[in-house]
Amino acid sequence: MEKKERLANTHLLLLLPAGILAASWAIYGFPYSRFGVELIALAVITVFFSSYFRIQLPRTKIHVTISDAMIMLSLLIYGGEFAVIVSILETAYTSFSLRRKGLSISFKTALINVFTGAIAVFATTQIVLMTFGSPVAVFENGDKAALFWLLAVMCAAWFLVDSIIVSAVVATRCGKSVMSVWNDNCVNALVIYISGAALAGLAAMALKQVNVILFVTVAGFFALIYMIYRRYVDDIKQTSEKAENSERQRAEQAENYVMELEHYVSQLEATGRELKQSREKFRHAAYHDALTGLPNRNYFIDTLQGLLDKAKTDSTCKFAVLFLDLNRFRTINDSLGHSTGDRLIRHVAKRLSEMTGEGDLVGHFGGDEFAFILTEAAEIETATHFADRVAKRIAESFRFNGRQVFTTVSVGIAFGSQDYQKSEDVLRDADIAMYYAKDNEENYVIFDKTMHTRAVSLQQLETDLRYAIVSDELELFYQPIVELNTVSLSGFEALVRWNHPTRGLIAPNEFISVSEDSGLVIPMTLQILRTACTQMVEWQNRSADNRSLSISVNLSGKHFSQPDLVGQVMTIVSETKINPNCLKLEITESVVMENAENAIFMLKQIRDIGVRLSVDDFGTGYSSLSYLHRFPIDTLKIDRSFVSSMTDGDGENAEIVHTIIALARALKLSVVAEGIETVEQLDQLRTLGCEFGQGYLLSRPVPVAQIEKLLDDKSLWDNLTASAAHAAAVHNYDPSQLGISH
């Protein structure tokens, strides 16, 4: 901005002397003697109206005006002095009009334009004077040829002086050469001066031949017509501009629409890419396990199905499926927490992945279950060798936070063949073999068809058992428990039997294990407990002699994982209205010792109700005497295996029975001997001081109807008393004869 200001000042200073000279010369030589209406009219038209009469040359930015023509005409009629004054006034008024219309023209620029015009007219006048003499004289003479050459010299001189000054000013502003500016911008302007000279010549000849007043009148008329034409043209131009603006707006709107559409398309493309990525993520999530990142069951089954389909047409396609399950994983979860369990699963997955060969697949099915597809294991030896390697690798310790964690794995192996139609069948058979390995505590087991047959039978048995529980197919048999000293009834043990609708009576050893594995033992035991308590209350109410009878019910170890066990027992006692002291719950040593602390806590709560507790099959488990002393139990039941072999020659089992009885006395516990089948066993137990007994000699487990007859027959075991007395007389048993030292 400062540079432009300095340039404007420089240009103004350079033009100022010549401009003042021209203006002074014009004022001094002004034709005052010819001052009149014609002069004033010509001056007014030139100054105030000539700049409005302009025509744009087609396809150019050049406008032809009559202002230059009017100044040239002024020079011809009144001389150069008048022409300089008119030029100064016209340029000043035009600059003022342009500023009023909003065009940015500074005062200095307006002065530069005024001085440039004055200098150009002054210089042109001097050239004409030197060439032709007075231009007014040439005009008055009426020689057309002289007038033509006068106008030609006037046009050329005015163009050269004006264009050179303008080119010099512009060149200093834009930093170009004067010649390049003149060539680019001023050459085309020559037509303005030529047209101006031509118009001036025609106007001069017209004035020569007609009256000035008439000329002015006609000129005014045509000026009015021109103004109307210009207004019409301006209206058309405004309308055209409005149309152009509307078209431009529509174009801009269309461009905006196109931009919006492009933006929308780009958003759609981005959304498409995001959807594709989402599909890939969903597909990965659908076919991979979140915890380990390994393929999940869906991926595994699809891959396995592809191999089965290939095996149908390609006899060389052989593969093995290994189903893996961690042993004691639930114990790790419960004792160390689920976060440690998850870390163990991730580390196991890493070890298994490291063992996976090319073309093989390892997957995680959730929990502690994994599976392999071995594509190069067509032979049994290859698969079993790999299973053995897996078992050894997993058996190595895992270390978490300074703690060592150990686990083992059971593996089931099934070989793919054309006999399989569905991948689920291969996986099922490998799963069955895995459970055989787990049950038999082996590292791996290879599947055979007998396993499937047994699994189907067990599954059907489980289904039937579920129905049996809800449809009341289970029936209780009761085996009497007898006081051995008096051989009198003390109570009963409730034993369940299953009246299967098609198979008849099923013994408990066939379905109890199924109920344990399936969890059905919990509702089944509660049903048995409720039925037995109800039945015992009914028998007690039949006679005052029966009020002291007790009922024993076996309690599964599964119940100790139920936090509401104590509440369930209390509810049944309350609802059946049985005296708690008449109810005995029997548990095995192994069940108690699996989680001794938890068992002690729950048993104490049950004991507080008043219910008595017995340890069943005592002597076959692994009881700790320290724990046994802490258990709130009332009775030890000697296992039938010791009772049945008491009469063997070495007397070892008789000594075990004597030890158990002695232990019970020391702990102030009662003793029940199971499995009494002979009079000799009965007599020996009485001799050893065993308080209670049960077995086939006394009575088999019988249904309710036969128990009611037994209750009515008070002399049922009189013959046993006589037989026992006879056996004692014959054998004269004493502890030394039984192989027991004092």
Side-chain angles (χ1 to χ4, degrees):
M1 184 65 69
E2 293 180 358
K3 182 179 180 181
K4 289 183 178 180
E5 190 72 18
R6 288 197 301 271
L7 287 174
N9 293 334
T10 302
H11 297 153
L12 192 58
L13 289 174
L14 292 174
L15 293 174
L16 183 61
I20 292 174
L21 175 64
S24 300
W25 174 80
I27 293 172
Y28 179 78
F30 188 82
Y32 298 102
S33 59
R34 299 182 63 183
F35 193 83
V37 176
E38 293 86 352
L39 184 145
I40 293 173
L42 182 61
V44 169
I45 292 172
T46 303
V47 173
F48 297 108
F49 298 103
S50 64
S51 62
Y52 291 103
F53 296 96
R54 65 175 64 196
I55 301 174
Q56 183 177 358
L57 297 180
R59 298 183 181 180
T60 69
K61 294 183 179 180
I62 299 174
H63 291 79
V64 177
T65 68
I66 66 170
S67 60
D68 294 335
M70 295 300 292
I71 293 172
M72 290 181 184
L73 182 62
S74 299
L75 191 150
L76 290 173
I77 297 174
Y78 294 106
E81 294 86 349
F82 177 70
V84 170
I85 297 298
V86 170
S87 173
I88 292 172
L89 295 175
E90 188 274 334
T91 305
Y93 178 76
T94 301
S95 299
F96 172 75
S97 298
L98 292 175
R99 286 192 64 178
R100 189 177 60 185
K101 291 180 180 179
L103 191 65
S104 177
I105 297 178
S106 67
F107 178 74
K108 293 180 181 179
T109 302
L111 284 178
I112 291 171
N113 292 337
V114 169
F115 288 152
T116 300
I119 294 169
V121 175
F122 173 75
T124 301
T125 302
Q126 299 304 317
I127 292 172
V128 168
L129 288 173
M130 288 186 295
T131 305
F132 297 98
S134 174
V136 177
V138 175
F139 169 68
E140 293 292 342
N141 186 33
D143 188 351
K144 294 181 179 180
L147 181 62
F148 172 81
W149 289 111
L150 174 64
L151 291 171
V153 171
M154 188 186 302
C155 172
W158 197 344
F159 165 72
L160 288 173
V161 174
D162 196 28
S163 63
I164 289 172
I165 294 173
V166 171
S167 297
V169 171
V170 173
T172 56
R173 288 182 178 178
C174 62
K176 295 182 180 180
S177 66
V178 175
M179 183 57 67
S180 64
V181 173
W182 185 85
N183 184 63
D184 293 339
N185 300 284
C186 297
V187 173
N188 293 333
L190 179 61
V191 68
I192 298 175
Y193 296 92
I194 294 174
S195 62
L199 287 174
L202 292 174
M205 288 187 293
L207 286 173
K208 191 71 175 175
Q209 297 176 5
V210 299
N211 184 274
V212 174
I213 301 299
L214 179 62
F215 177 81
V216 171
T217 303
V218 172
F221 173 76
F222 280 106
L224 179 62
I225 297 298
Y226 179 79
M227 294 297 291
I228 295 172
Y229 167 75
R230 281 295 305 271
R231 186 181 183 117
Y232 173 74
V233 170
D234 289 341
D235 290 341
I236 294 176
K237 186 176 180 181
Q238 290 177 2
T239 304
S240 177
E241 288 178 353
K242 289 181 180 178
E244 289 179 359
N245 289 334
S246 299
E247 193 67 29
R248 188 180 301 108
Q249 290 177 358
R250 285 195 293 271
E252 290 176 354
Q253 289 177 351
E255 185 176 355
N256 290 334
Y257 290 150
V258 170
M259 292 176 64
E260 290 178 1
L261 183 60
E262 290 177 350
H263 179 66
Y264 179 69
V265 170
S266 64
Q267 284 184 328
L268 286 178
E269 291 176 349
T271 303
R273 289 192 296 269
E274 291 175 358
L275 287 174
K276 184 177 179 180
Q277 294 175 355
S278 297
R279 284 196 299 269
E280 292 175 353
K281 290 180 180 178
F282 282 132
R283 177 177 176 80
H284 186 273
Y287 282 95
H288 290 80
D289 172 60
L291 179 62
T292 63
L294 294 179
N296 60 11
R297 181 183 289 270
N298 294 331
Y299 189 100
F300 194 91
I301 287 178
D302 288 350
T303 304
L304 187 55
Q305 187 63 51
L307 290 173
L308 287 177
D309 294 340
K310 182 180 179 181
K312 293 177 183 178
T313 57
D314 185 0
S315 59
T316 62
C317 181
K318 302 292 184 180
F319 59 91
V321 175
L322 280 65
F323 199 101
L324 290 69
D325 186 87
L326 301 182
N327 300 320
R328 295 180 58 256
F329 179 71
R330 180 177 178 180
T331 303
I332 295 172
N333 251 350
D334 293 343
S335 60
L336 302 181
H338 289 278
S339 60
T340 300
D342 289 344
R343 292 185 65 182
L344 175 62
I345 292 297
R346 286 194 292 267
H347 280 72
V348 169
K350 182 179 180 181
R351 289 188 182 181
L352 295 179
S353 298
E354 293 170 351
M355 300 182 69
T356 305
E358 185 177 356
D360 297 338
L361 177 68
V362 60
H364 180 224
F365 292 174
D368 58 343
E369 293 182 343
F370 295 85
F372 272 101
I373 296 178
L374 303 181
T375 55
E376 300 296 331
E379 303 297 331
I380 293 177
E381 184 179 354
T382 305
T384 56
H385 177 67
F386 183 81
D388 195 51
R389 284 177 52 216
V390 168
K392 291 179 180 178
R393 185 72 177 95
I394 299 302
E396 297 175 6
S397 66
F398 298 86
R399 181 175 292 277
F400 307 135
N401 299 327
R403 179 192 295 271
Q404 282 190 321
V405 178
F406 293 89
T407 186
T408 57
V409 67
S410 298
V411 183
I413 305 173
F415 291 92
S417 67
Q418 296 178 349
D419 297 335
Y420 288 108
Q421 300 298 320
K422 296 181 179 180
S423 56
E424 290 87 348
D425 296 340
V426 187
L427 203 59
R428 174 204 64 204
D429 290 347
D431 192 11
I432 292 172
M434 182 274 294
Y435 275 106
Y436 266 82
K438 189 179 290 287
D439 292 341
N440 293 282
E441 299 182 356
E442 297 182 10
N443 288 342
Y444 60 84
V445 168
I446 299 174
F447 173 79
D448 62 52
K449 292 183 178 181
T450 59
M451 296 179 185
H452 180 244
T453 302
R454 182 175 180 273
V456 171
S457 299
L458 291 176
Q459 179 61 39
Q460 184 61 49
L461 191 64
E462 179 184 336
T463 302
D464 293 347
L465 184 57
R466 290 181 184 275
Y467 180 78
I469 293 173
V470 298
S471 60
D472 201 22
E473 291 180 3
L474 300 178
E475 180 181 354
L476 289 186
F477 278 44
Y478 298 90
Q479 187 174 33
I481 298 175
V482 177
E483 185 180 353
L484 298 186
N485 189 35
T486 61
V487 195
S488 59
L489 184 62
S490 173
F492 301 94
E493 181 179 2
L495 301 170
V496 67
R497 301 291 185 268
W498 179 5
N499 282 319
H500 195 279
T502 58
R503 297 177 56 186
L505 201 63
I506 300 178
N509 61 344
E510 188 173 345
F511 64 86
I512 288 297
S513 60
V514 175
S515 70
E516 293 271 359
D517 295 337
S518 62
L520 293 174
V521 70
I522 294 174
M524 184 177 72
T525 302
L526 293 176
Q527 187 182 96
I528 292 170
L529 182 59
R530 187 182 303 276
T531 302
C533 289
T534 302
Q535 186 62 66
M536 176 51 65
V537 171
E538 181 181 336
W539 287 335
Q540 288 175 339
N541 292 335
R542 287 184 57 177
S543 171
D545 296 337
N546 300 335
R547 295 292 171 83
S548 61
L549 295 179
S550 64
I551 185 72
S552 297
V553 178
N554 289 288
L555 194 63
S556 168
K558 295 288 184 180
H559 284 279
F560 288 94
S561 63
Q562 303 296 310
D564 57 344
L565 169 62
V566 179
Q568 291 169 345
V569 174
M570 290 178 64
T571 299
I572 292 175
V573 169
S574 175
E575 290 178 353
T576 60
K577 295 181 174 54
I578 190 172
N579 184 347
N581 289 322
C582 295
L583 174 61
K584 285 186 178 182
L585 296 180
E586 297 188 1
I587 53 178
T588 60
E589 289 180 272
S590 57
V591 167
V592 173
M593 296 303 296
E594 280 182 1
N595 193 345
E597 295 298 334
N598 184 56
I600 291 172
F601 176 74
M602 298 185 77
L603 290 175
K604 283 183 177 180
Q605 289 182 304
I606 294 174
R607 189 70 177 83
D608 291 340
I609 301 172
V611 177
R612 292 185 288 172
L613 301 168
S614 297
V615 175
D616 196 13
D617 301 331
F618 186 78
T620 61
Y622 45 90
S623 295
S624 166
L625 290 179
S626 61
Y627 273 112
L628 187 62
H629 178 71
R630 293 173 56 195
F631 287 143
I633 56 177
D634 302 279
T635 305
L636 296 180
K637 296 190 73 173
I638 304 173
D639 187 67
R640 66 181 66 250
S641 61
F642 300 118
V643 175
S644 62
S645 58
M646 284 179 61
T647 56
D648 291 349
D650 56 6
E652 180 181 350
N653 288 324
E655 186 172 355
I656 292 175
V657 172
H658 179 263
T659 302
I660 294 173
I661 294 172
L663 176 63
R665 285 175 179 169
L667 296 174
K668 298 180 181 180
L669 304 176
S670 60
V671 180
V672 178
E674 296 181 302
I676 302 174
E677 297 180 354
T678 65
V679 175
E680 288 77 8
Q681 294 169 357
L682 173 62
D683 186 57
Q684 289 184 38
L685 290 169
R686 292 174 65 183
T687 302
L688 293 173
C690 183
E691 299 171 79
F692 303 96
Q694 65 186 97
Y696 284 1
L697 175 66
L698 302 171
S699 174
R700 291 175 176 272
V702 294
V704 173
Q706 295 186 34
I707 291 295
E708 292 177 351
K709 293 179 180 179
L710 184 149
L711 292 173
D712 295 335
D713 187 359
K714 303 299 182 182
S715 61
L716 180 63
W717 291 298
D718 290 347
N719 59 333
L720 286 179
T721 304
S723 299
H726 176 71
V730 173
H731 298 285
N732 192 21
Y733 290 120
D734 60 44
S736 61
Q737 290 177 314
L738 297 175
I740 300 172
S741 60
H742 290 286

